[in-house]
Amino acid sequence: MNPVALPSLLPLLVALVPLLGALLLALLGNRRLWLAPLALGSSALTFGLVVVLVAAVRLGFQPEIALMQLAPPMRIVLSADALGALFALTIAALFPLALIYALKFLADDKHLKRFLALTLVAQGLMLGVAFAANLLTLLAFYELFSLISYPLIVHERTPKALAAGLKYIVYIIVGGVFILTGIILVYAVAGDLTFLPGGLLAGDGARAPVLIAWICLMVGFGVKAALMPLHGWVADAHPAAPAPFSAILSGVMVAAGSFGILRVLFEIFGAELLGRLGVMPWLATIAGISAVLAGALAIGEDEFKRRLAYSTISQMAYVVLAIAMLSELALVGALVHISHHAFIKAGLFFCAGLIVAVTGLKKVSEFDGLARRMPATALLLTLLSLAMIGVPPLSGFLSKWLLGVGLIEAGGLVPLAVLVVGTLLAAAYLWPVIFRIWLPNDKVKRARSALAGQPTLMLAALAATALITVVLGLAATLPGFPLELARLAAAQLIGAGG
Amino acid sequence: MVIELFDLRPLIAPLLSALCAFGIMLLGSHAGWRIALSLVASVVKFFIVVSMLPGALDGHVYVFSAGEILPGLDFAFRVDALGLFFGLVSSTLWVLTTIYAIAYMRGSHSLRRFFGFFALCVSTTQAIAFAENLLTLFIFYELLTICTYPLVIHSGTLEARRAGRRYLIYTLSGGAAILAGMVLVYQATGSLSFSSPGLLNPGIDERVLLAMFVLLIGGFGVKAALMPLHAWLPTAMVAPTPVSALLHAVAVVKAGSFGLMRVIYNIFGVDLLDTLGYHHVLAVIAALTIIAASLVALRQDVLKRRLAWSTISQLSYIVLAACLLTPLAALAAVIHIANQAFAKITLFFVAGAIEKTTGKKRISELDGIGWAMPWTMAAFTVASLSFMGVPLLAGFITKWYLSLGALAAGAPIYVGVMMASAILNASYWLPILYRAWFKPGASPDAPVKEAENLLLWPTLGCAAYVILLGIGAQAPAMPFALAQSAVAFAFGLEVASP
């Protein structure tokens, strides 16, 4: 079933509301009283609009709006298909949580306003990425949100943060140049950049430019998607950024790279052309190696946030691995994993931030007996870690199950083995954390109650991610949830291409 | 279909500035008169030039002939699409620069001389834009050299006089080369008119053609700062900032680029040049200039010098684009006249505003200046991101069409040059932004001390134009369609109505 294009302002509104929120924040935010209502109000409104949009997508519509011509004849076009709606839903749900968390986490920071406003801008731009209907629109929003993330990563202005920021910006700019080169090649070959289910270049046989375009685009988006060996910025940027933004980085920003890869592979090249090019095994190999290697590296990292960053690299590599299978089932798994992983990982970063805020501890080796001091956090951390490892009935299990089914159907045992090894590695790098925090340690003073000493707002955001993790695990098949949207998207992306 | 209309406006536009100059010379010792005359003349001229835009878009060409100088050689003006495009850019910028100069030059000596010659320069630039033939263009081109000299040496210091002498030596030698080339062309064809897409015919002796090409391109190449003819430009930056801004980023250097385009598109013509193949050599020189000038710019600490080297690099974009001889690249060449002008003048305005407000000239002194002069530095940020080619800003449009044009011309190497240049641009603009926004200044909590309004508003106006040119390519009053019709004329294409 092909969706019906529906001229609608909705996609534009969804992207604009956070941007306007940021503008209002910049204008009115000198009074601290205004900060919370403005930031949360605009991101809550965005979420509401996205819910409406998802409803429209479920009914078989594709809300679409064409804006100005950028480089004639190419236009900026925003269009919400199932894939875009799924990514937008993840973004729209995660950002408010991160904002709530930031309100407390950075409460003593005099640049709180700046952080909130830039985060909202990043949200608006990322929603633009989700709704981009052609490669030029995608590029525009993608580049802008990559740049706007820089001040968020270096928010604390410490030498460490600035060094990480430098690394980030160099990677991003070089990656951006690759993406642009790839896009120019695509345009030169096809004369168009519109995302077409089944592939814009589907009927094309010109091998060399198409192949170079593929390589450029994969390298460019691979930087964001943290594909090894392009992952260098990830492990530095995550610990450097404030915890709420680390959550966003891992949750949706790295995913934006995978999202770009998805769009390009299925809607520019198309499964059939990719099959002829014979390049997907290479991508699968790289992704597989990334998954395992990053998992192994995570074990060796003592700093909790760095460990989580490597975990993100590993988890996102599954997504690319599954995408590279070019099969519908594997694609469903990949899409579901993107959004399930987003909440789990964001929750884990919230935990890391809470631990630092309450105790100042950053290293896993210092976490002994933490559960005595921060019982609630410890409980949620355990829950989220189990979800990350893939223990049923949490959301991580479900997405890994789907991934596994897809991988074995499309690629046989080797990709499945990667997933299994990756999962074992996840257990190996998260279990010590769980183990240590519950370790009896008499030196740590026992908290008076489960919630004592832990800032409520931060805990609430953390609890929300945990709740989502549980709900997504228990009731994934509910209408409008990621699984349904992922199935719809996969059917559109692969079904149409035959 | 070109319709020629006899009209006085092509004469009035340059004449108005000349009259303004005359008025200032007479009455200008009184500040009020000086300001009133400059402002009124610039605004009125702007509207006169704009009034020709709708007609030009309908395919009308406005001509005015004052009579024959030599047999077959009129002293005549002819406003075609290319000329009007350049005319629009320079008259728009004259308004903004006049406002800026009034504030910037307040309290300086010999203001009557300054504003008088300033207006004269604009008058001659306008005449260059509207010149019907190479002789008319040449007359005003030489006049421009002479009128600029008093502005370059305005401060009267030894350094300024040295720079002025160097400027004269370079540009007058260039003028002599043009004169020689012009004589050859006239001797071969009996005409110098720009009214056809290609005046020369293939029947001429190839050695003569080569001589013409070398002389004309070499001559105009001096002002277009093509390496190795660029050495006057960085030293000429001793001039007061408004002069550097308008004359050295826009009028003088663009007169050179504009002359080059006239030679390529109207004297030689695309077809002839394509058979001769001289453009390949010129393209290589331009590409080398782009890269080499950027490399030098990297090492400059004085802000204005970095801007000057960046100008040399950016100007060669126009030359390179014009040399590729494909419609898409030609579009980039025409549009870049505006894109580079607005972005570069913004940067010069900012450099001047910083110098005027804080006395700082070096990049290494700019730590934390973003928070002291937020609006000024915001304008700087926009313009420098535009040079890096960030989407939604003017520079991206150039890069886009130039790269596509290079691919169409079968020269993908120049896509590589574009990308290398983008990275180089990033590496010399981003450190400035980093210092301004992310490095704490000497006194971190210094109060906001913006440049005065008359300096600030023109800067913001230019920055707004950079954004407008980047996103409003198809907006009715913006000259994109004009550029398209200029290209269509040069390549003998039907104007494609998008």
Side-chain angles (χ1 to χ4, degrees):
Chain A
M1 182 192 69
N2 278 330
V4 182
L6 178 76
S8 159
L9 277 175
L10 211 49
L12 180 65
L13 276 180
V14 170
L16 271 185
V17 167
L19 294 178
L20 290 177
L23 189 68
L24 280 178
L25 210 56
L27 294 176
L28 301 173
N30 285 332
R31 276 191 238 155
R32 260 189 122 73
L33 194 62
W34 283 97
L35 288 181
L38 273 174
L40 298 181
S42 49
S43 65
L45 181 59
T46 312
F47 183 72
L49 289 170
V50 170
V51 168
V52 176
L53 203 104
V54 167
V57 169
R58 285 190 60 243
L59 292 173
F61 293 109
Q62 182 162 336
E64 195 170 72
I65 181 170
L67 303 174
M68 68 276 184
Q69 272 189 321
L70 189 61
M74 287 311 302
R75 278 179 182 279
I76 296 278
V77 184
L78 296 176
S79 160
D81 59 354
L83 177 60
L86 172 60
F87 193 45
L89 187 64
T90 313
I91 295 168
L94 188 60
F95 269 82
L97 299 180
L99 286 169
I100 293 175
Y101 189 89
L103 281 173
K104 183 64 196 167
F105 187 79
L106 295 170
D108 302 328
D109 191 323
K110 59 181 174 169
H111 299 305
L112 174 62
K113 178 181 92 171
R114 190 169 78 203
F115 182 86
L116 296 176
L118 287 174
T119 307
L120 281 173
V121 173
Q123 184 186 8
L125 294 171
M126 285 191 75
L127 288 165
V129 171
F131 295 144
N134 58 50
L135 209 38
L136 193 64
T137 313
L138 182 82
L139 172 80
F141 285 107
Y142 189 87
E143 287 287 296
L144 291 175
F145 99 72
S146 299
L147 288 174
I148 211 76
S149 301
Y150 174 80
L152 289 165
I153 289 174
V154 302
H155 182 81
E156 283 163 10
R157 301 289 194 276
T158 54
K160 206 180 129 200
L162 290 172
L166 177 64
K167 208 165 178 183
Y168 169 80
I169 203 81
V170 170
Y171 270 89
I172 287 309
I173 283 175
V174 175
V177 163
F178 273 97
I179 296 178
L180 180 60
T181 313
I183 293 180
I184 285 168
L185 283 168
V186 169
Y187 188 80
V189 172
D192 195 5
L193 293 171
T194 311
F195 293 134
L196 276 184
L200 176 69
L201 296 168
D204 204 87
R207 273 185 79 93
V210 173
L211 191 63
I212 297 171
W214 183 83
I215 293 171
C216 286
L217 288 168
M218 287 307 115
V219 170
F221 287 115
V223 167
K224 222 7 147 347
L227 267 187
M228 282 187 172
L230 308 167
H231 66 287
W233 62 275
V234 181
D236 287 344
H238 279 83
F245 194 66
S246 308
I248 289 169
L249 267 178
S250 254
V252 282
M253 228 167 90
V254 175
S258 317
F259 181 80
I261 290 179
L262 260 170
R263 284 280 194 211
V264 165
L265 288 185
F266 290 106
E267 299 192 307
I268 293 295
F269 291 94
E272 189 260 344
L273 175 64
L274 290 169
R276 266 190 291 145
L277 283 173
V279 284
M280 296 320 278
W282 291 98
L283 189 64
T285 309
I286 292 172
I289 294 173
S290 285
V292 174
L293 206 56
L297 285 171
I299 299 175
E301 289 293 344
D302 193 22
E303 192 178 344
F304 190 34
K305 280 174 102 181
R306 280 183 80 89
R307 185 174 292 198
L308 292 177
Y310 274 109
S311 155
T312 300
I313 300 175
S314 168
Q315 299 287 330
M316 283 296 117
Y318 298 152
V319 171
V320 179
L321 178 65
I323 294 170
M325 296 295 131
L326 298 178
S327 91
E328 197 172 331
L329 263 183
L331 187 58
V332 172
L335 293 175
V336 171
H337 194 59
I338 286 183
S339 74
H340 284 191
H341 167 262
F343 297 102
I344 304 175
K345 191 53 67 64
L348 285 172
F349 273 107
F350 288 165
C351 292
L354 261 164
I355 294 171
V356 172
V358 174
T359 67
L361 300 177
K362 291 180 175 173
K363 293 187 174 163
V364 176
S365 55
E366 302 163 340
F367 284 2
D368 294 7
L370 209 62
R372 285 165 72 99
R373 193 165 163 192
M374 307 171 68
T377 309
L379 198 66
L380 294 171
L381 173 57
T382 310
L383 179 87
L384 289 165
S385 302
L386 292 177
M388 183 99 286
I389 296 167
V391 174
L394 300 164
S395 68
F397 164 73
L398 195 86
S399 58
K400 283 203 178 148
W401 173 262
L402 290 166
L403 273 174
V405 171
L407 287 175
I408 195 152
E409 182 243 14
L413 286 177
V414 177
L416 186 69
V418 169
L419 185 70
V420 171
V421 172
T423 303
L424 289 177
L425 287 169
Y429 59 72
L430 285 173
W431 185 252
V433 183
I434 304 175
F435 181 70
R436 275 182 186 275
I437 56 173
W438 292 105
L439 209 63
N441 182 350
D442 294 333
K443 282 185 216 138
V444 178
K445 228 173 57 190
R446 187 176 289 279
R448 275 172 284 112
S449 71
L451 300 174
Q454 300 151 68
T456 323
L457 265 182
M458 285 155 75
L459 211 52
L462 171 58
T465 56
L467 184 68
I468 292 173
T469 304
V470 174
V471 171
L472 285 180
L474 292 174
T477 46
L478 284 183
F481 271 38
L483 182 57
E484 192 198 18
L485 287 172
R487 286 197 169 132
L488 210 57
Q492 278 172 23
L493 290 180
I494 300 228
Chain B
M1 177 66 193
V2 173
I3 306 160
E4 296 212 353
L5 296 175
F6 184 81
D7 200 295
L8 276 178
R9 281 176 289 181
L11 175 69
I12 295 174
L15 199 61
L16 194 68
S17 308
L19 284 176
C20 161
F22 186 65
I24 290 174
M25 296 289 183
L26 277 181
L27 304 165
S29 43
H30 188 280
W33 274 112
R34 215 162 50 218
I35 291 170
L37 274 171
S38 302
L39 280 179
V40 169
S42 61
V43 172
V44 171
K45 193 185 77 167
F46 172 71
F47 282 110
I48 289 177
V49 178
V50 168
S51 74
M52 288 189 271
L53 182 60
L57 289 175
D58 287 342
H60 297 174
V61 169
Y62 299 100
V63 291
F64 175 86
S65 176
E68 280 193 337
I69 310 173
L70 289 167
L73 273 185
D74 284 357
F75 182 80
F77 296 115
R78 182 171 188 278
V79 185
D80 62 359
L82 181 58
L84 185 58
F85 192 91
F86 183 40
L88 269 171
V89 172
S90 78
S91 59
T92 313
L93 288 175
W94 190 36
V95 178
L96 294 168
T97 316
T98 305
I99 301 170
Y100 186 90
I102 289 168
Y104 187 88
M105 298 305 290
R106 199 180 291 138
S108 168
H109 62 94
S110 356
L111 283 178
R112 193 171 62 158
R113 184 181 82 193
F114 180 86
F115 279 98
F117 278 102
F118 200 75
L120 265 184
C121 287
V122 176
S123 163
T124 49
T125 310
Q126 206 70 47
I128 289 170
F130 291 166
E132 192 271 342
N133 52 49
L134 191 52
L135 181 63
T136 315
L137 190 148
F138 176 72
I139 293 169
F140 287 103
Y141 189 83
E142 292 291 69
L143 275 177
L144 178 60
T145 306
I146 295 160
C147 299
T148 336
Y149 179 72
L151 298 176
V152 173
I153 61 157
H154 183 78
S155 67
T157 57
L158 185 64
E159 192 198 357
R161 277 179 289 153
R162 275 216 184 108
R165 198 155 57 231
R166 194 172 202 180
Y167 170 67
L168 274 188
I169 292 170
Y170 268 86
T171 47
L172 290 179
S173 325
I178 298 173
L179 181 61
M182 193 165 71
V183 169
L184 284 178
V185 174
Y186 182 66
Q187 198 257 339
T189 62
S191 166
L192 290 171
S193 169
F194 292 142
S195 58
S196 67
L199 180 65
L200 296 169
N201 51 58
I204 303 165
D205 185 357
E206 199 162 315
R207 281 169 303 175
V208 180
L209 283 175
L210 180 62
M212 287 174 193
F213 189 78
V214 170
L215 286 169
L216 289 175
I217 297 295
F220 285 114
V222 171
K223 278 194 183 165
L226 206 55
M227 277 183 178
L229 308 169
H230 65 283
W232 62 274
L233 187 62
T235 46
M237 288 299 150
V238 295
T241 302
V243 178
S244 320
L246 181 59
L247 303 182
H248 293 172
V250 187
V252 173
V253 292
K254 287 292 157 58
S257 315
F258 182 75
L260 276 174
M261 287 169 76
R262 283 294 196 203
V263 169
I264 291 173
Y265 293 131
N266 297 106
I267 299 293
F268 277 82
V270 177
D271 295 333
L272 177 63
L273 205 53
D274 203 21
T275 38
L276 293 172
Y278 302 153
H279 60 289
H280 294 304
V281 183
L282 191 52
V284 171
I285 296 175
L288 289 177
T289 308
I290 291 175
I291 301 296
S294 283
L295 287 174
V296 182
L298 270 177
R299 295 174 35 222
Q300 304 299 322
D301 188 33
V302 177
L303 184 53
K304 274 177 84 177
R305 290 188 75 88
R306 188 173 288 194
L307 293 180
W309 283 99
S310 149
T311 303
I312 296 173
S313 169
Q314 290 286 325
L315 285 169
S316 283
Y317 276 47
I318 301 178
V319 182
L320 174 60
C323 286
L324 289 171
L325 299 185
T326 52
L328 283 171
L331 201 56
V334 180
I335 293 174
H336 199 57
I337 291 182
N339 290 352
Q340 196 266 350
F342 282 101
K344 190 48 66 67
I345 208 163
T346 309
L347 297 181
F348 269 108
F349 280 175
V350 171
I354 291 174
E355 194 184 329
K356 198 77 181 169
T357 315
T358 67
K360 289 171 180 166
K361 290 180 175 179
R362 290 177 176 275
I363 292 162
S364 49
E365 300 167 334
L366 295 182
D367 294 1
I369 193 116
W371 304 105
M373 304 172 75
W375 288 103
T376 314
M377 283 316 288
F380 189 94
T381 308
V382 167
S384 53
L385 290 182
S386 163
F387 278 123
M388 284 163 49
V390 173
L392 301 187
L393 298 174
F396 175 77
I397 309 285
T398 309
K399 208 160 75 172
W400 177 253
Y401 286 114
L402 215 165
S403 304
L404 286 175
L407 284 180
I413 176 80
Y414 296 119
V415 179
V417 171
M418 280 293 97
M419 298 305 153
S421 169
I423 290 179
L424 282 170
N425 267 285
S427 47
Y428 61 81
W429 295 123
L430 287 181
I432 304 180
L433 297 184
Y434 170 72
R435 277 185 186 278
W437 295 110
F438 299 104
K439 221 167 171 190
S443 47
D445 291 313
V448 172
K449 188 170 176 289
E450 266 298 352
E452 60 175 300
N453 282 337
L454 283 181
L455 295 179
L456 184 59
W457 287 108
T459 315
L460 291 178
C462 288
Y465 248 99
V466 173
I467 299 175
L468 209 56
L469 285 168
I471 61 172
Q474 211 61 15
M478 295 312 296
F480 190 87
L482 198 60
Q484 278 180 324
S485 70
V487 171
F489 177 71
F491 286 81
L493 307 167
E494 283 294 313
V495 181
S497 55

